[in-house]
Amino acid sequence: LSTFPIFGLPTVLAAQTIALSSGSISSFSDGVMGLPVDFLYRDIPAAERAPLLAGSINDEGIVNRPVNVNLLKYGDRKVLFDVGAGLNFLSSLGRLFETLDDASIDLSEITDVVFTHAHPDHIWGIIDDFDDLLMPDAAYHISKDEWAFWDSKMRWQ
């Protein structure tokens, strides 16, 4: 298991599980997203961020950060928080369903999907290559404000 140098989060296809009093929550990797350090930490002066990021920035000034998705098992519910990026966003992402399969998680058993927000790395994994829902029997949830924001953007198209 390799980890992200700053946070110790998984950056490869791996799962980590924490037991709860009445269930468990597991974290699964969708892959790694590389973003420019100036984009991620634009409000922190370079001299201050340099010691914090030592060893985690490549020669092009890119920080690779993990994209993880959580699965809550609670009673008879299996709640997936976000669905990853899918295969059409970045080549370094889209590994969530392979990771879930490796952990013997059957997509047909997912009862709920909660979208934390609708950025591509959180929501584009909802469909397969044929534009079919990967979890057609799950209930889908998103906050009213998030839905209104993206709905208003789509109306301008």
Side-chain angles (χ1 to χ4, degrees):
L1 176 66
S2 70
T3 58
F4 187 63
I6 298 172
F7 305 109
L9 298 173
T11 59
V12 295
L13 304 180
Q16 296 181 350
T17 301
I18 298 171
L20 305 172
S21 62
S22 55
S24 65
I25 190 161
S26 300
S27 179
F28 296 91
S29 177
D30 190 42
V32 178
M33 181 186 301
L35 294 170
V37 68
D38 291 329
F39 173 79
L40 285 174
Y41 303 103
R42 64 181 163 262
D43 296 332
I44 302 172
E48 291 180 29
R49 69 179 179 223
L52 298 172
L53 299 173
S56 64
I57 304 170
N58 70 18
D59 292 339
E60 291 82 37
I62 302 296
V63 174
N64 287 317
R65 67 169 192 82
V67 175
N68 298 312
V69 174
N70 295 308
L71 175 66
L72 172 66
K73 294 180 182 178
Y74 182 80
D76 64 347
R77 313 301 295 179
K78 289 187 180 175
V79 182
L80 195 60
F81 289 86
D82 296 325
V83 291
L87 299 174
N88 296 313
F89 183 52
L90 296 173
S91 62
S92 60
L93 295 174
R95 290 162 176 81
L96 175 64
F97 297 108
E98 179 184 340
T99 308
L100 291 171
D101 187 54
D102 288 348
S104 299
I105 305 293
D106 185 345
L107 292 182
S108 68
E109 296 175 1
I110 303 296
T111 59
D112 300 86
V113 175
V114 176
F115 297 111
T116 60
H117 61 284
H119 285 165
D121 58 317
H122 294 257
I123 198 167
W124 280 16
I126 195 171
I127 56 174
D128 64 15
D129 291 340
F130 303 100
D131 294 337
D132 293 324
L133 287 172
L134 287 167
M135 295 160 283
D137 297 326
Y140 293 89
H141 311 273
I142 192 167
S143 76
K144 184 169 83 172
D145 290 340
E146 187 74 6
W147 180 267
F149 174 81
W150 290 106
D151 185 52
S152 72
K153 299 296 181 198
M154 296 307 295
R155 291 172 192 250
W156 290 97
Q157 302 278 333

